[in-house]
Amino acid sequence: MNYYIIENGQQVGPLSIDQLSSRNITSETPVWHEGMAQWGKSKDIPELNSIANGTTPPPFTPNSQQAPSTPPPPKYEHKKTQPSQPCPDNHLAISIIATIATLTCCSPFPIGIVALVYSLNVENKWKGGDYDKAIQYAKNAKNWAIGSIIVALAVSMICILLYIIFGVVFFESLYDIYYTRL
């Protein structure tokens, strides 16, 4: 009988029982052979118990009436568990607004981009199972977005004040020039 195993994340096989004994399989190694509907663990297959436990099995003689070709084993799928916590709000909308605001409001500091980067990484951290880091990134995204909007508003107000001051000075100069000629 031929066996297939998962070794270093890759499917290996077909292997004979002699070839399996030269590999470092454990009782948790995924194994499949013809006749099995799903992948199993080597501890669940009696003829592999001795290999997984480190003892030598009796010699194996292959059955001469075995079919010439064996069907390919079913694809091994590692089941990923979903995080138990809901994904935190990534504050993407406010981060986009903050980025646009800092880029368009004469701001020399486009710090809205930092908020955008943090918000785009929240879901990646959550999917990776690092829920605490996802919450931290969400908070950072919100803080950077709010800070960016405040900076954009402050820079805009300074620009407006400068326009008013320079406008008054300019028009006052024009007024003086006009009336001093008369």
Side-chain angles (χ1 to χ4, degrees), residues 42-83:
S42 62
K43 69 180 178 183
D44 299 330
I45 301 172
E47 57 267 18
L48 299 182
N49 276 338
S50 60
I51 294 174
N53 293 332
T55 59
T56 308
F60 175 75
T61 56
N63 186 354
S64 61
Q65 295 178 0
Q66 184 177 359
S69 65
T70 58
K75 185 169 173 81
Y76 177 75
E77 294 180 21
H78 179 68
K79 294 177 184 162
K80 247 185 155 176
T81 58
Q82 283 293 330

Side-chain angles (χ1 to χ4, degrees), residues 10-151:
Q10 299 291 323
Q11 179 178 308
V12 178
L15 301 169
S16 69
I17 204 149
D18 291 333
Q19 292 169 323
L20 281 176
S21 63
S22 67
R23 301 213 177 239
N24 293 329
I25 66 169
T26 66
S27 60
E28 296 297 313
T29 301
V31 178
W32 180 87
H33 64 79
E34 186 178 357
M36 292 177 66
Q38 300 274 344
W39 284 83
K41 299 192 183 215
S42 62
K43 69 180 178 183
D44 299 330
I45 301 172
E47 57 267 18
L48 299 182
N49 276 338
S50 60
I51 294 174
N53 293 332
T55 59
T56 308
F60 175 75
T61 56
N63 186 354
S64 61
Q65 295 178 0
Q66 184 177 359
S69 65
T70 58
K75 185 169 173 81
Y76 177 75
E77 294 180 21
H78 179 68
K79 294 177 184 162
K80 247 185 155 176
T81 58
Q82 283 293 330
S84 60
Q85 302 287 337
C87 185
D89 183 13
N90 61 4
H91 305 289
L92 184 61
I94 193 170
S95 297
I96 291 172
I97 292 168
T99 302
I100 292 170
T102 57
L103 290 174
T104 59
C105 293
C106 304
S107 175
F109 313 109
I111 58 177
I113 294 172
V114 177
L116 195 58
V117 169
Y118 273 121
S119 70
L120 291 173
N121 282 311
V122 169
E123 191 173 344
N124 291 337
K125 293 297 178 184
W126 175 74
K127 283 183 178 177
D130 196 354
Y131 189 70
D132 293 333
K133 191 64 107 174
I135 290 173
Q136 181 67 35
Y137 277 25
K139 287 179 183 176
N140 289 348
K142 183 179 179 182
N143 292 340
W144 277 97
I146 291 170
S148 299
I149 291 172
I150 291 170
V151 167

Side-chain angles (χ1 to χ4, degrees), residues 142-163:
K142 183 179 179 182
N143 292 340
W144 277 97
I146 291 170
S148 299
I149 291 172
I150 291 170
V151 167
L153 289 174
V155 169
S156 296
M157 295 304 281
I158 291 170
C159 287
I160 290 170
L161 283 174
L162 289 175
Y163 291 146

